[in-house]
Amino acid sequence: MNEKIAWQGTLVSVQPRIRLTRSFDQRNHSYLGYALRVQGIIGEDEREFTVGIGKAARLRHQFRAGDIVSGMAQPVADERTESVELYKASRLKVVERAADVVTVPPPWLGLPPELPVYRQRGHRRLDARTYQAKCLGCIWGCRMPVEMIIDQWNPSQKRYRFETFCYGPKSCSLYRAGPTRKVPGRKGMSWEEENWVDEDATAHRGEDE
Ligand code: SF4
């Protein structure tokens, strides 16, 4: 498991790699770096796969969709806490830079912003099926591993799942919120994250920002 695997392929997307910790109505984000979605060859297989990189690697290589990239990376130790298959990437290289093609969003392609920009923008929940069908290539989409602390007095009691979010303009025509999310708590209680949470998190942005 600790052995690194060689990979190469075309970048389908570069999205933020952010972990969410929930404890009933409280939430906390850990900004880990970026997730590269690659269509190409990993070890002996040809398929789509994901690789986690840090923010320094993103600054150095300026990865964006369409680039042909290569590197080495290790399978993640705990698939519940990572949205990517591989991490601890090394020997990263842009084999061929994508041509400068102007595309009309949505989705938003190109260079993703630095992580503090995502933090400052805030997110809204994004329907998992919409994310899968429309948002995989967008720099504003994010699939987060979620660690839920069920009982704050007994933090070792945890559950895990994945949730999808949108950091993009509120006017995006592809956006679908999907059902509200419920967070389990102690003694069978649960907390529902209603629409006002998203409205509050993004209230400082205009519709097209
Ligand atoms: S809904 Fe969000 S993630 Fe999806 S295309 Fe629109 S801005 Fe991008």
Side-chain angles (χ1 to χ4, degrees):
M1 281 294 278
N2 290 338
E3 272 186 31
K4 291 202 173 181
I5 304 169
W7 55 270
Q8 175 165 332
T10 304
L11 275 182
V12 177
S13 69
V14 187
Q15 294 186 332
R17 183 171 148 236
I18 301 170
R19 185 179 297 144
L20 181 62
T21 305
R22 289 187 180 279
S23 177
F24 212 57
D25 61 344
Q26 305 294 309
R27 61 186 193 185
N28 183 52
H29 298 81
S30 303
Y31 295 81
L32 307 175
Y34 294 84
L36 307 180
R37 180 172 294 276
V38 185
Q39 175 62 50
I41 295 173
I42 172 169
E44 306 284 304
D45 301 332
E46 184 169 354
R47 62 181 177 88
E48 193 172 282
F49 53 92
T50 49
V51 183
I53 62 166
K55 57 186 178 186
R58 173 246 175 241
L59 267 182
R60 195 172 330 120
H61 298 284
Q62 304 280 298
F63 293 122
R64 60 183 186 177
D67 288 350
I68 298 175
V69 296
S70 67
M72 307 278 293
Q74 183 178 311
V76 299
D78 187 345
E79 292 176 355
R80 301 172 305 174
T81 61
E82 284 286 350
S83 62
V84 291
E85 283 176 60
L86 305 159
Y87 63 178
K88 300 187 180 173
S90 57
R91 298 200 212 167
L92 288 166
K93 196 168 139 192
V94 177
V95 178
E96 193 179 320
R97 187 65 79 189
D100 282 323
V101 181
V102 179
T103 56
V104 181
W108 277 263
L109 307 175
L111 204 59
E114 294 190 31
L115 294 174
V117 174
Y118 289 98
R119 188 202 302 257
Q120 186 273 335
R121 292 179 66 83
H123 58 57
R124 299 181 294 164
R125 73 176 187 273
L126 173 61
D127 177 58
R129 280 174 301 181
T130 304
Y131 172 80
Q132 194 64 33
K134 314 269 190 197
C135 307
L136 282 182
C138 184
I139 59 170
W140 299 126
C142 185
R143 181 171 179 263
M144 294 185 198
V146 183
E147 185 176 77
M148 293 176 289
I149 298 167
I150 305 304
D151 182 350
Q152 59 173 316
W153 308 113
N154 178 14
S156 62
Q157 200 189 331
K158 293 175 183 171
R159 282 193 219 160
Y160 298 87
R161 69 186 185 199
F162 290 90
E163 295 180 23
T164 43
F165 293 94
C166 170
Y167 284 87
K170 290 186 271 188
S171 59
C172 177
S173 58
L174 299 180
Y175 179 77
R176 300 285 178 275
T180 55
R181 291 168 184 163
K182 282 99 187 159
V183 184
R186 59 201 290 259
K187 295 186 178 166
M189 290 190 296
S190 83
W191 182 75
E192 181 174 3
E193 194 167 70
E194 293 174 6
N195 291 338
W196 68 264
V197 175
D198 288 352
E199 287 160 12
D200 190 51
T202 58
H204 59 292
R205 287 199 268 124
E207 284 299 300
D208 297 329
E209 287 176 64

